[in-house]
Coordinates of all heavy atoms in Angstrom, one line a residue:
G1185 N -0.2 3.0 -14.4 CA 0.5 2.4 -13.3 C 0.4 3.2 -12.0 O 0.2 2.6 -10.9
M1186 N 0.4 4.5 -12.1 CA 0.2 5.3 -10.9 C -1.2 5.2 -10.4 O -1.5 5.3 -9.1 CB 0.6 6.8 -11.2 CG 2.0 7.0 -11.3 SD 2.5 8.8 -11.4 CE 1.8 9.2 -13.0
L1187 N -2.2 5.1 -11.2 CA -3.6 4.9 -10.8 C -3.7 3.5 -10.0 O -4.4 3.5 -9.0 CB -4.5 4.8 -12.0 CG -4.9 6.2 -12.6 CD1 -5.9 6.0 -13.8 CD2 -5.5 7.1 -11.6
L1188 N -3.0 2.5 -10.5 CA -3.1 1.2 -9.8 C -2.4 1.4 -8.4 O -3.0 0.8 -7.4 CB -2.3 0.2 -10.6 CG -2.3 -1.2 -10.0 CD1 -3.7 -1.8 -9.8 CD2 -1.5 -2.2 -10.9
I1189 N -1.3 2.0 -8.3 CA -0.7 2.3 -7.0 C -1.5 3.1 -6.1 O -1.7 2.8 -4.9 CB 0.7 2.9 -7.2 CG1 1.7 2.0 -8.0 CG2 1.3 3.3 -5.9 CD1 3.0 2.6 -8.4
L1190 N -2.1 4.1 -6.7 CA -3.0 5.0 -5.9 C -4.2 4.2 -5.4 O -4.7 4.5 -4.3 CB -3.4 6.2 -6.7 CG -4.3 7.2 -6.1 CD1 -3.6 7.9 -4.9 CD2 -4.7 8.3 -7.1
E1191 N -4.8 3.3 -6.2 CA -5.9 2.5 -5.8 C -5.6 1.6 -4.6 O -6.4 1.4 -3.7 CB -6.4 1.7 -7.0 CG -7.8 1.0 -6.7 CD -8.9 2.1 -6.5 OE1 -8.8 3.1 -7.2 OE2 -9.8 1.8 -5.7
C1192 N -4.4 1.1 -4.5 CA -3.9 0.3 -3.4 C -4.0 1.1 -2.1 O -4.5 0.6 -1.1 CB -2.5 -0.2 -3.6 SG -2.4 -1.4 -5.0
Y1193 N -3.5 2.4 -2.1 CA -3.6 3.2 -0.9 C -5.0 3.5 -0.6 O -5.4 3.6 0.6 CB -2.8 4.5 -1.2 CG -1.3 4.3 -1.2 CD1 -0.5 4.6 -2.3 CD2 -0.6 3.9 0.0 CE1 0.8 4.4 -2.3 CE2 0.7 3.8 0.0 CZ 1.5 4.0 -1.2 OH 2.8 3.9 -1.2
N1194 N -5.9 3.8 -1.6 CA -7.3 4.1 -1.3 C -8.0 2.9 -0.7 O -8.8 3.1 0.2 CB -7.9 4.6 -2.6 CG -7.4 5.9 -3.1 OD1 -6.9 6.7 -2.3 ND2 -7.5 6.2 -4.4
Q1195 N -7.8 1.7 -1.2 CA -8.5 0.6 -0.7 C -8.1 0.2 0.7 O -8.8 -0.5 1.4 CB -8.4 -0.6 -1.7 CG -9.1 -0.4 -3.0 CD -8.9 -1.6 -3.9 OE1 -8.4 -2.6 -3.5 NE2 -9.5 -1.5 -5.1
L1196 N -6.9 0.6 1.1 CA -6.4 0.3 2.4 C -7.2 1.0 3.5 O -7.3 0.5 4.6 CB -4.9 0.7 2.6 CG -4.2 0.2 3.8 CD1 -4.1 -1.3 3.7 CD2 -2.8 0.8 3.8
D1197 N -7.8 2.1 3.2 CA -8.7 2.8 4.1 C -9.9 2.0 4.5 O -10.5 2.2 5.5 CB -9.1 4.2 3.6 CG -7.9 5.1 3.5 OD1 -6.9 4.9 4.2 OD2 -8.0 6.1 2.7
Q1198 N -10.4 1.1 3.6 CA -11.6 0.3 3.8 C -11.3 -0.9 4.7 O -12.2 -1.6 5.1 CB -12.2 -0.1 2.5 CG -12.5 1.1 1.6 CD -12.9 0.7 0.2 OE1 -13.1 -0.5 -0.1 NE2 -13.2 1.7 -0.7
E1199 N -10.0 -1.2 4.9 CA -9.7 -2.4 5.7 C -9.5 -2.1 7.2 O -9.4 -0.9 7.6 CB -8.4 -3.1 5.1 CG -8.6 -3.5 3.7 CD -7.3 -4.1 3.1 OE1 -6.3 -4.2 3.9 OE2 -7.3 -4.5 2.0
E1200 N -9.5 -3.1 8.0 CA -9.2 -2.9 9.4 C -7.8 -2.5 9.7 O -6.9 -3.1 9.2 CB -9.5 -4.2 10.2 CG -9.4 -4.1 11.7 CD -9.8 -5.4 12.4 OE1 -10.1 -6.4 11.6 OE2 -9.7 -5.4 13.6
P1201 N -7.6 -1.4 10.4 CA -6.3 -0.8 10.6 C -5.5 -1.7 11.6 O -5.4 -1.4 12.8 CB -6.6 0.6 11.2 CG -7.9 0.5 11.8 CD -8.7 -0.5 11.0
I1202 N -4.8 -2.7 11.1 CA -4.0 -3.6 12.0 C -2.5 -3.1 11.7 O -2.1 -3.1 10.5 CB -4.2 -5.0 11.6 CG1 -5.6 -5.4 11.9 CG2 -3.2 -5.9 12.5 CD1 -6.0 -6.9 11.5
L1203 N -1.8 -2.8 12.7 CA -0.5 -2.2 12.6 C 0.5 -3.1 11.8 O 1.2 -2.7 10.9 CB 0.1 -1.9 13.9 CG 1.6 -1.3 13.9 CD1 1.6 0.0 13.2 CD2 2.1 -1.1 15.4
A1204 N 0.5 -4.4 12.1 CA 1.5 -5.3 11.4 C 1.2 -5.4 9.9 O 2.1 -5.4 9.1 CB 1.4 -6.7 12.0
R1205 N -0.1 -5.4 9.6 CA -0.5 -5.5 8.2 C -0.2 -4.2 7.5 O 0.3 -4.1 6.3 CB -2.0 -5.8 8.1 CG -2.5 -6.0 6.7 CD -4.0 -6.3 6.6 NE -4.3 -7.5 7.4 CZ -5.5 -7.9 7.6 NH1 -6.5 -7.2 7.2 NH2 -5.7 -9.1 8.3
L1206 N -0.4 -3.0 8.2 CA -0.1 -1.7 7.6 C 1.4 -1.6 7.3 O 1.7 -1.1 6.2 CB -0.6 -0.6 8.5 CG -2.1 -0.3 8.6 CD1 -2.3 0.8 9.6 CD2 -2.6 0.0 7.2
L1207 N 2.2 -2.0 8.2 CA 3.6 -1.9 8.0 C 4.1 -2.8 6.9 O 5.0 -2.4 6.1 CB 4.4 -2.2 9.3 CG 4.2 -1.2 10.5 CD1 4.9 -1.8 11.7 CD2 4.7 0.1 10.1
L1208 N 3.5 -4.0 6.8 CA 4.0 -4.9 5.8 C 3.6 -4.4 4.4 O 4.4 -4.4 3.5 CB 3.3 -6.3 6.0 CG 3.7 -7.4 5.0 CD1 5.2 -7.7 5.0 CD2 2.9 -8.7 5.3
K1209 N 2.4 -3.9 4.3 CA 2.0 -3.4 3.0 C 2.7 -2.1 2.6 O 3.0 -1.8 1.5 CB 0.4 -3.2 3.0 CG -0.4 -4.5 3.0 CD -1.8 -4.2 3.0 CE -2.6 -5.5 3.0 NZ -4.1 -5.3 2.9
E1210 N 2.9 -1.3 3.6 CA 3.6 0.0 3.4 C 5.0 -0.3 2.9 O 5.5 0.4 2.0 CB 3.6 0.8 4.7 CG 4.1 2.3 4.5 CD 5.6 2.4 4.5 OE1 6.2 1.5 5.0 OE2 6.1 3.4 4.1
R1211 N 5.7 -1.3 3.5 CA 7.0 -1.6 3.1 C 7.1 -2.1 1.6 O 7.9 -1.7 0.8 CB 7.6 -2.6 4.0 CG 9.1 -3.0 3.7 CD 9.5 -4.1 4.6 NE 9.3 -3.9 6.0 CZ 9.4 -4.9 6.9 NH1 9.8 -6.1 6.5 NH2 9.2 -4.6 8.2
S1212 N 6.2 -3.0 1.3 CA 6.2 -3.6 -0.1 C 5.8 -2.5 -1.1 O 6.4 -2.5 -2.2 CB 5.2 -4.8 -0.1 OG 3.9 -4.4 0.2
W1213 N 4.8 -1.7 -0.8 CA 4.4 -0.7 -1.8 C 5.5 0.4 -1.9 O 5.7 1.0 -3.0 CB 3.1 0.0 -1.3 CG 2.0 -1.0 -1.4 CD1 1.9 -2.2 -2.0 CD2 0.7 -0.8 -0.8 NE1 0.7 -2.8 -1.9 CE2 -0.1 -2.0 -1.1 CE3 0.0 0.2 -0.1 CZ2 -1.4 -2.2 -0.7 CZ3 -1.3 0.0 0.3 CH2 -2.0 -1.2 0.0
L1214 N 6.2 0.7 -0.8 CA 7.3 1.7 -0.9 C 8.4 1.2 -1.8 O 8.9 1.9 -2.7 CB 7.8 2.0 0.5 CG 9.0 3.0 0.5 CD1 8.6 4.4 0.0 CD2 9.5 3.1 2.0
I1215 N 8.7 -0.1 -1.7 CA 9.8 -0.6 -2.6 C 9.3 -0.6 -4.0 O 10.1 -0.3 -4.9 CB 10.1 -2.1 -2.1 CG1 10.7 -2.1 -0.7 CG2 11.0 -2.8 -3.1 CD1 11.0 -3.4 -0.2
L1216 N 8.0 -1.0 -4.3 CA 7.5 -1.0 -5.6 C 7.5 0.4 -6.2 O 7.9 0.6 -7.4 CB 6.1 -1.5 -5.6 CG 5.4 -1.6 -7.0 CD1 6.1 -2.5 -7.9 CD2 3.9 -2.1 -6.8
V1217 N 7.1 1.4 -5.5 CA 7.0 2.8 -6.0 C 8.4 3.3 -6.2 O 8.7 4.0 -7.2 CB 6.2 3.7 -5.0 CG1 6.3 5.2 -5.5 CG2 4.8 3.3 -4.9
Q1218 N 9.4 3.0 -5.4 CA 10.7 3.4 -5.6 C 11.3 2.8 -6.9 O 12.0 3.5 -7.6 CB 11.6 3.0 -4.4 CG 11.3 3.9 -3.1 CD 12.1 3.4 -1.9 OE1 12.6 2.3 -1.9 NE2 12.2 4.2 -0.9
R1219 N 11.0 1.6 -7.1 CA 11.4 0.9 -8.4 C 10.7 1.6 -9.6 O 11.3 1.8 -10.6 CB 11.1 -0.5 -8.4 CG 12.0 -1.4 -7.5 CD 11.5 -2.7 -7.2 NE 11.1 -3.4 -8.5 CZ 10.4 -4.5 -8.6 NH1 9.8 -5.0 -7.5 NH2 10.2 -5.1 -9.7
F1220 N 9.4 2.0 -9.4 CA 8.7 2.6 -10.4 C 9.3 4.0 -10.8 O 9.5 4.3 -12.0 CB 7.2 2.8 -9.9 CG 6.3 3.4 -11.0 CD1 5.6 2.5 -11.8 CD2 6.1 4.7 -11.1 CE1 4.7 3.0 -12.7 CE2 5.2 5.2 -12.1 CZ 4.5 4.3 -12.9

C-alpha cells in the first residue's frame, strides 16, 4: 500500500505542474494517507 502511495507522488513529477491539479491531488492523497 505504501509503495502504491509513493508511486503516485513519483508519477506526479512527470506531469505538467498545474497548481489547481497539484492542490486537488495533494488534498485527496493527504486524506487517503491519513486514513491509511
Side-chain angles (χ1 to χ4, degrees):
M1186 287 189 291
L1187 282 181
L1188 181 60
I1189 295 172
L1190 183 61
E1191 192 61 35
C1192 293
Y1193 287 116
N1194 291 334
Q1195 291 182 5
L1196 193 63
D1197 294 338
Q1198 304 174 4
E1199 300 179 358
E1200 185 179 357
I1202 301 176
L1203 179 59
R1205 184 181 301 174
L1206 285 179
L1207 292 176
L1208 181 62
K1209 292 183 178 180
E1210 192 274 344
R1211 184 189 306 172
S1212 61
W1213 293 347
L1214 178 63
I1215 294 175
L1216 180 63
V1217 177
Q1218 288 176 343
R1219 287 166 53 196
F1220 187 90

